[in-house]
Amino acid sequence: PPNPALHPDAPGAGPPPAPYMTPTPPPSADAAAPAGPAGTCTAGDDACVAYNDGYNAARQALRLAAADRLHPRMWWLDIETLGSCGSFPTAGNAYWSCDRSLNARTIQGALDALRASGAEAGIYSTRSQWSVITGGSTPTGAAVPNWLAGDQASPPSSWCDGAHDFAGGPTWLLQLWPSQTYDRDLAC
């Protein structure tokens, strides 16, 4: 059932939420990944599988949000280095593929699905992590807003001057390491 606390008319509701998802490569070339907007993938066409998997994962995230009566205008893709990379598909043994171009295809698929739904999509990461995961690629389509992952920025404006941008987009948000329990985010 839908989560009533997430409804925009719920008591104390603030601005519409901007959810995030992590579009990691598939653990296996399952039946869902080969079919999608890149076509029906043939055996060994990893670029096709990667793109369709990212696209299909974002469509699933949109369906889950809609089930909770959420139709956010903004989504963030969480692109962080966790653990080590693995061969494609990852067989569930790695967070990302060691093939950066396939990671970029997975992310591009997710971006395209979110944009096709009418939402705007940004990327939560750092220049360093983006480079490790995608080789520094620039997604196609509109410039992708950046949400810079945690730092102890002093002053914060020095992180919003464009010197830390990645993926061909401008920095919109800066996450500061928590001074208490929760992270703080500042708009650039």
Side-chain angles (χ1 to χ4, degrees):
N3 182 342
L6 295 175
H7 192 274
D9 297 329
Y20 67 92
M21 63 168 288
T22 305
T24 57
S28 65
D30 64 18
T40 301
C41 306
T42 59
D45 188 353
D46 292 344
C48 177
V49 172
Y51 181 86
N52 284 347
D53 187 71
Y55 193 95
N56 293 340
R59 294 292 302 156
Q60 177 65 9
L62 288 162
R63 281 190 291 278
L64 291 171
D68 274 331
R69 300 179 300 194
L70 294 174
H71 304 280
R73 294 183 305 266
M74 182 71 196
W75 282 78
W76 293 96
L77 301 182
D78 186 359
I79 311 299
E80 299 182 75
T81 53
L82 297 172
S84 60
C85 65
S87 60
F88 186 91
T90 62
N93 295 322
Y95 205 70
W96 292 101
S97 168
C98 292
D99 186 326
R100 294 173 176 170
S101 67
L102 294 177
N103 294 334
R105 289 287 293 161
T106 301
I107 294 165
Q108 184 69 58
L111 288 170
D112 289 349
L114 294 169
R115 290 171 175 164
S117 78
E120 183 150 16
I123 296 173
Y124 170 83
S125 192
T126 63
R127 180 185 283 182
S128 173
Q129 292 180 97
W130 181 255
S131 180
V132 166
I133 294 167
T134 70
S137 73
T138 299
T140 61
V144 181
N146 296 180
W147 176 5
L148 295 181
D151 209 315
Q152 297 175 353
S154 180
S157 61
S158 69
W159 287 83
C160 297
D161 65 3
H164 303 280
D165 296 352
F166 56 89
T171 298
W172 281 14
L173 293 171
L174 170 64
Q175 178 190 51
L176 301 176
W177 286 113
S179 57
Q180 298 175 4
T181 305
Y182 300 103
D183 296 335
R184 293 182 314 140
D185 295 302
L186 299 176
C188 288

